[in-house]
Amino acid sequence: MKERLTDALYGLGWAAVKKLPEPVAVRLGQQIADAAWRRRGGGVLRLEANLARVLPGASAERLAQVSRAGMRSYMRYWMESFRLPVWSAERRRTSFAPEGLDHLEKALASGRGVVVALPHMGNYDLAGAWVTTRLGVPFTTVAERLKPETLYDRFVAYREGLGMEVLPHAGGSAFGTLARRLRAGGLVCLVADRDLSASGIEVTFFGEATKMPAGPAMLAVQTGALLLPVTLWYDRSPVMKGRVHAPVEVPEEGTRAAKAAAMTQQVADVFAAGIAEHPEDWHMLQRLWLADLEPRPDTADGAPSGGPAQDARPGQDAGGEAVGEVAGEGEGAGRAESDRRTGA
């Protein structure tokens, strides 16, 4: 029943929201976000608990203020995503203004292949649509299979319609395909700030231990591709902002695993700096730090069973926490998909 309800909600979003006048869609998104925030469900409380690490010493009032802005930012992501398929190519080209674009352009021109790693910030679907329309560069990403299968199919069709190649995160085959794309000089985009599976790399993030996907760094180590962290955020304008950071270099010494671990920590540090600057645009409504995980009998380390619990947004993300909250779901409802840029 829950799966059918989730699929129906997303179907309604794509069918109805994209037909609304822009001002109406914006107000609707804010109203849904505010309703979810006032309900104080598990996702909102988890968001505030996560933000407490980002904003140490912040008062309860400050955390509530940022979490409310965060829910509005998150719903802006969803309302934009529901409407992206009907945006003109010109609007896609002009709705994102990244800094540091020269890092990406030089990396693409090198022919070595490029891995872009992103946290759950802003709207990475919009950034992806901008890459395919403004730069004219196709890219490959990964999506965790969702239940029901019809919901997974919706997200794959949506992202492919924006010019992305979407690989299923299953059986380890995605890594080999991504490696081939990179060796051919291609672009791979992966969401990379949460991976609580056994293959995740432990890092220090805002002073505490968590795990992040090994995929981005391992791909760079094994293929020679350049690894570029990217952070995204909104301001008061209709145009999303972002920053392409300098490449994370592969260490000269050490085993592949040690090199990947060092690079993943560097990526985590870049993410932390970007999130600290724009905490309201970090859409992390799930448990992240290892200290917050509750041991379960089916896992050795307390991580949820069944593989990486990434996001279901463009590339990996599927569920809408704000939508789930309004529908009465609990923490993480609707965001069980691995994001469009899974850690492979």
Side-chain angles (χ1 to χ4, degrees):
M1 179 63 183
K2 182 185 297 185
E3 292 178 359
R4 291 197 298 271
L5 175 60
T6 300
D7 186 38
L9 285 171
Y10 283 104
L12 178 63
W14 268 298
V17 173
K18 65 184 180 183
K19 298 179 181 179
L20 296 174
E22 185 85 8
V24 175
V26 171
R27 287 197 300 272
L28 176 61
Q30 292 177 347
Q31 290 169 358
I32 294 174
D34 289 349
W37 181 80
R38 287 193 297 269
R39 184 175 174 271
R40 310 297 291 163
V44 173
L45 296 178
R46 175 50 49 191
L47 175 62
E48 290 185 3
N50 291 338
L51 288 171
R53 263 80 169 221
V54 177
L55 302 169
S59 65
E61 291 76 13
R62 170 60 175 158
L63 290 175
Q65 179 187 45
V66 178
S67 70
R68 182 180 184 184
M71 293 304 292
R72 285 194 167 197
S73 173
Y74 189 39
M75 277 311 301
R76 175 173 170 174
Y77 159 79
W78 279 107
M79 301 307 280
E80 285 179 348
S81 295
F82 287 143
R83 297 171 64 82
L84 263 176
V86 297
W87 280 14
S88 67
E90 178 61 21
R91 181 162 186 190
R92 294 179 191 179
R93 285 193 294 266
T94 58
S95 292
F96 178 43
E99 304 169 3
L101 183 58
D102 59 309
H103 291 306
L104 178 59
E105 292 175 330
K106 290 178 181 177
L108 290 170
S110 73
R112 295 170 53 185
V114 181
V115 181
V116 167
L118 308 96
H120 289 80
M121 292 185 75
N123 186 340
Y124 36 80
D125 282 330
L126 174 55
W130 182 89
V131 167
T132 58
T133 54
R134 177 68 178 270
L135 300 184
V137 177
F139 68 89
T140 304
T141 187
V142 179
E144 187 81 7
R145 285 199 174 277
L146 302 174
K147 292 183 180 180
E149 190 75 13
T150 52
L151 181 57
Y152 172 78
D153 291 341
R154 287 184 193 275
F155 275 92
V156 170
Y158 158 67
R159 288 156 188 164
E160 289 180 343
L162 298 177
M164 310 175 192
E165 179 189 21
V166 182
L167 306 177
H169 185 279
S173 61
F175 189 93
T177 302
L178 295 174
R180 288 192 294 274
R181 299 291 184 270
L182 292 169
R183 291 190 177 103
L187 174 63
V188 167
C189 297
L190 301 169
V191 172
D193 58 344
R194 184 175 189 264
D195 187 345
L196 303 180
S197 72
S199 62
I201 292 177
E202 187 168 323
V203 297
T204 300
F205 193 53
F206 289 101
E208 294 190 43
T210 187
K211 288 186 177 181
M212 293 188 178
M218 286 299 297
L219 285 166
V221 170
Q222 294 196 25
T223 69
L226 293 163
L227 174 57
L228 303 181
V230 172
T231 50
L232 308 171
W233 66 90
Y234 293 119
D235 57 16
R236 295 182 180 275
S237 77
V239 178
M240 184 176 69
K241 304 304 190 294
R243 181 175 297 117
V244 181
H245 299 266
V248 174
E249 301 292 341
V250 178
E252 295 184 359
E253 299 181 355
T255 64
R256 286 185 176 183
K259 291 177 180 179
M263 295 172 72
T264 302
Q265 182 62 64
Q266 289 184 58
V267 170
D269 293 342
V270 172
F271 286 173
I275 292 166
E277 288 183 10
H278 306 280
E280 68 278 4
D281 293 309
W282 186 44
H283 307 151
M284 185 55 66
L285 284 74
Q286 301 128 313
R287 297 174 190 270
L288 177 68
W289 282 274
L290 301 185
D292 290 338
L293 299 180
E294 297 177 358
R296 288 174 49 172
D298 57 342
T299 60
D301 61 359
S305 60
Q310 320 275 28
D311 166 355
R313 300 168 0 171
Q316 300 166 204
D317 188 56
E321 177 61 29
V323 176
E325 286 290 343
V326 172
E329 304 291 349
E331 176 185 340
R335 292 194 52 156
E337 176 201 351
S338 176
D339 191 301
R340 80 177 168 258
R341 296 135 222 177
T342 301

